[in-house]
Amino acid sequence: MGSNSKPIDGTSLDPWSEIMAVETQDHHHQRQIGVVYRRRNPRNNANSIHSSDSNCPRPNRVSLADPNKRVSWNRSLSTRGRTSIAVGACMVYQPQLKQDKRKGRPAIPKGKVAQPPNFDKEKSYFQEVDAFQLLEESPSPKKVGTWTLGNMTEGAPIPDVCSRLEKWLYSRKEHYFSFSSGSETIVKVGEGTYGEAFKVDNYVCKIVPFDGDFRVNGEVQKKSEELLEEVLLCKTLNQLRGNDGDSQNLCRTFIDSIEFRVCQGPYNAALLRAWEVWDHKHGSENDHPKEFPEKQCYMVFVQEHGGKDLESFVLLNFDEARSLLAQVTAGLAVSESAYEFEHRDLHWGNILVSRSDSVTLQFTLDGRSMLVKTYGLLISIIDFTLSRINTGDRILYFDLSSDPDLFKGPKGDKQSGTYRRMKEVTDDWWEGSFPKTNVLWLIYLVDILLMKKSFERTSKNERDLRSLKKRLDKYDSAKEAILDPFFSDMFVDHGK
């Protein structure tokens, strides 16, 4: 970004300071894992045995939804946003409801400044709470959603995870970020409705504009406070990597979120060149970044470089397909046990695959250490926009009932069908714990391997996959699915 840009609080700084100067020295990855990052109200349900707080009254929840959203089934990064936002312990935030876009008037041309809803009151509030000046990279559903801070009461201490995040925000307040013109190789690797993704050396940076009046590809920009929940979720999943987590449940299946930075100013020339190269080759659906105002603010997500998405990755044989299923199942099982985690959007664009010399990969599930055969593949799961997790302090979830378009996809499409099946399993109550949703995405993955991916396999291999699909439908969690006979020779106890 430009050298004259300033941070949100108005202090002078050099926005786009060097990318990895602070964090890379503290991160020694065991693997180097380009990425194409190709919402019912709360109710008492006596029959639900999955809700983690079923004995506690559920308060009415506050909507933080952005009713403007464009639906795209195959856009990379994320095309649906989270509105379940924790803005602070016991704080209530209720923005004005926006009118549905394009009702009785023509579409707003690209590149034009639109008059957004009046958020003056909310802006003044969040200026007092500058520790939470964050944003989430994805559009929000069209209808009002809900969010609860769970059982927290006024005066209660901020949870540990949130406290660490707050400290991190203060420590990074003056640390802004720049893409230098040095030796880094900058390549655009994906785009979404609300942002762009660039590969910088061995990292992927997602750049998301926020808090501006300028329309982002026809949509109202995200608000800075909307990122907090996903940041908390990402940092919680990072604990499964063994650095600061429960040693009873460990895995490296979820993408390593290394850093989150804020910057302001126009796109750097190197980023513009990378964007234009992508546009020339693929035909971008997004507006050119140079159209943003000079003082536009951006959020930058720095993540591990996890490989190609499954949609574009070429599997060679049946063993690789088996390892992919085993690693995904094991990762989901570990996260279920540790945090009641459900991904709820595990399509083939959210599974990254890379090749490695490793023969096995270690997992720890409920204290049991085991090795899974990799057959040279390493799997990374990304994009937790629709996910649900219990951090121990609070439940973070996205209320899909406020996004009815999500369930209106084409009949016969496996991804669309999986959303509809999730709605049946949860009875459209998304706060509760329903690990069956993870199994539904495993079934989806088997269908993808059978119908969409070409690799060396026999008729027996196909019969084995179809048999697995039938058995998966009987399981209620990935922890159950991992015991299926299909995986019997894929896992061995560590040390045997």
Side-chain angles (χ1 to χ4, degrees):
M1 301 298 173
S3 59
N4 296 325
S5 55
K6 298 182 180 180
I8 297 172
D9 58 8
T11 59
S12 177
L13 44 82
D14 179 11
W16 308 112
S17 55
E18 298 205 354
I19 273 186
M20 298 307 134
V22 177
E23 291 298 320
T24 52
Q25 295 178 2
D26 297 328
H27 287 80
H28 300 282
H29 303 292
Q30 296 181 2
R31 55 187 171 113
Q32 291 185 353
I33 312 220
V35 177
V36 179
Y37 284 90
R38 291 258 204 235
R39 223 176 232 262
R40 229 186 217 206
N41 294 319
R43 61 178 170 90
N44 294 320
N45 188 350
N47 297 325
S48 174
I49 64 174
H50 300 289
S51 174
S52 60
D53 58 351
S54 58
N55 295 325
C56 301
R58 299 185 182 88
N60 291 330
R61 291 169 282 174
V62 181
S63 167
L64 292 177
D66 179 352
N68 295 294
K69 181 182 84 75
R70 74 175 176 184
V71 176
S72 174
W73 292 99
N74 296 314
R75 294 299 302 281
S76 53
L77 294 177
S78 174
T79 59
R80 292 167 303 279
R82 181 187 300 275
T83 62
S84 307
I85 308 300
V87 297
C90 310
M91 299 294 184
V92 177
Y93 170 68
Q94 189 167 13
Q96 300 174 8
L97 296 180
K98 307 176 189 176
Q99 298 300 317
D100 283 342
K101 187 178 67 172
R102 298 180 182 176
K103 181 177 292 186
R105 21 179 160 163
I108 300 174
K110 283 189 175 184
K112 300 298 182 181
V113 176
Q115 296 300 323
N118 187 348
F119 281 96
D120 291 342
K121 182 178 180 181
E122 288 75 14
K123 284 184 178 179
S124 64
Y125 168 76
F126 281 104
Q127 286 171 357
E128 299 175 4
V129 195
D130 61 353
F132 298 100
Q133 288 182 343
L134 294 171
L135 141 131
E136 185 219 339
E137 185 287 320
S138 51
S140 294
K142 290 182 177 179
K143 292 194 176 181
V144 173
T146 54
W147 170 247
T148 178
L149 295 182
N151 300 329
M152 297 183 63
T153 58
E154 187 171 359
I158 299 176
D160 291 341
V161 175
C162 190
S163 298
R164 287 198 297 272
L165 175 62
E166 186 176 11
K167 292 178 182 178
W168 167 80
L169 282 169
Y170 282 121
S171 69
R172 295 298 190 271
K173 191 172 182 180
E174 299 299 330
H175 289 256
Y176 284 66
F177 192 82
S178 87
F179 292 92
S180 69
S181 55
S183 60
E184 294 93 348
T185 300
I186 301 176
V187 180
K188 177 175 172 176
V189 293
E191 66 180 20
T193 304
Y194 279 76
E196 312 281 351
F198 297 86
K199 177 180 176 291
V200 185
D201 289 344
N202 291 321
Y203 299 89
V204 170
C205 298
K206 298 193 296 182
I207 305 176
V208 186
F210 68 93
D211 272 357
D213 296 337
F214 186 85
R215 291 263 178 172
V216 182
N217 308 310
E219 304 295 332
V220 175
Q221 288 188 27
K222 303 301 292 183
K223 296 297 172 182
S224 56
E225 64 272 12
E226 292 183 74
L227 182 63
L228 178 58
E229 182 181 352
E230 190 166 355
V231 170
L232 288 171
L233 196 153
C234 290
K235 293 178 78 69
T236 301
L237 288 176
N238 268 10
Q239 296 183 51
L240 293 176
R241 307 181 73 83
N243 301 322
D244 185 26
D246 180 3
S247 61
Q248 295 295 301
N249 292 285
L250 299 172
C251 72
R252 304 181 68 84
T253 311
F254 300 94
I255 198 71
D256 189 6
S257 298
I258 298 167
E259 186 60 285
F260 312 88
R261 300 292 183 95
V262 178
C263 61
Q264 184 180 37
Y267 258 56
N268 177 280
L271 292 173
L272 291 176
R273 286 194 296 269
W275 191 95
E276 289 165 353
V277 170
W278 167 277
D279 184 37
H280 179 74
K281 184 176 180 179
H282 301 281
S284 177
E285 296 182 43
N286 288 359
D287 297 332
H288 199 296
K290 68 181 180 182
E291 297 181 12
F292 283 106
E294 183 178 353
K295 295 185 178 182
Q296 175 67 55
C297 293
Y298 300 86
M299 187 72 189
V300 180
F301 300 74
V302 183
Q303 295 182 326
E304 170 187 30
H305 181 21
K308 292 184 177 181
D309 65 352
L310 178 58
E311 182 177 3
S312 57
F313 188 87
V314 178
L315 294 172
L316 299 181
N317 52 54
F318 182 62
D319 284 336
E320 290 188 352
R322 284 204 304 160
S323 180
L324 182 148
L325 288 170
Q327 291 185 50
V328 171
T329 304
L332 292 175
V334 169
S335 60
E336 281 177 2
S337 183
Y339 301 119
E340 298 180 353
F341 176 79
E342 300 167 46
H343 191 282
R344 295 180 174 178
D345 197 23
L346 198 54
H347 57 75
W348 63 348
N350 285 337
I351 297 174
L352 306 183
V353 190
S354 64
R355 298 201 177 275
S356 170
D357 294 333
S358 65
V359 177
T360 59
L361 188 65
Q362 185 175 351
F363 291 83
T364 303
L365 177 61
D366 293 333
R368 175 189 174 191
S369 182
M370 56 187 175
L371 299 175
V372 58
K373 298 177 182 178
T374 67
Y375 291 99
L377 295 188
L378 291 177
I379 307 303
S380 295
I381 295 175
I382 63 170
D383 194 348
F384 313 118
T385 305
L386 304 188
S387 299
R388 185 258 189 205
I389 198 170
N390 185 345
T391 69
D393 300 315
R394 62 186 65 189
I395 296 174
L396 309 176
Y397 71 102
F398 176 84
D399 191 354
L400 280 74
S401 66
S402 296
D403 191 4
D405 287 336
L406 188 64
F407 309 101
K408 297 178 182 178
K411 293 183 179 180
D413 178 81
K414 297 301 180 179
Q415 182 177 344
S416 303
T418 304
Y419 295 131
R420 289 189 283 267
R421 289 201 64 188
M422 282 202 305
K423 185 175 182 179
E424 294 174 0
V425 167
T426 63
D427 198 17
D428 210 17
W429 181 53
W430 302 96
E431 179 182 0
S433 175
F434 300 94
K436 177 74 173 183
T437 64
N438 286 332
V439 179
L440 297 181
W441 287 105
L442 292 176
I443 294 172
Y444 159 89
L445 286 177
V446 174
D447 279 328
I448 288 295
L449 293 175
L450 285 169
M451 302 169 59
K452 299 291 186 179
K453 303 302 292 184
S454 297
F455 52 88
E456 185 179 335
R457 62 198 184 198
T458 65
S459 298
K460 181 182 181 303
N461 297 153
E462 293 199 358
R463 289 196 299 272
D464 288 344
L465 285 172
R466 292 191 177 95
S467 296
L468 171 63
K469 178 183 175 182
K470 292 180 180 179
R471 294 192 300 273
L472 284 173
D473 210 23
K474 300 177 182 179
Y475 301 140
D476 290 324
S477 68
K479 287 183 65 176
E480 292 182 14
I482 201 174
L483 302 176
D484 188 89
F486 183 87
F487 302 116
S488 60
D489 65 335
M490 295 295 296
F491 296 99
V492 294
D493 285 340
H494 193 199
K496 289 190 177 181

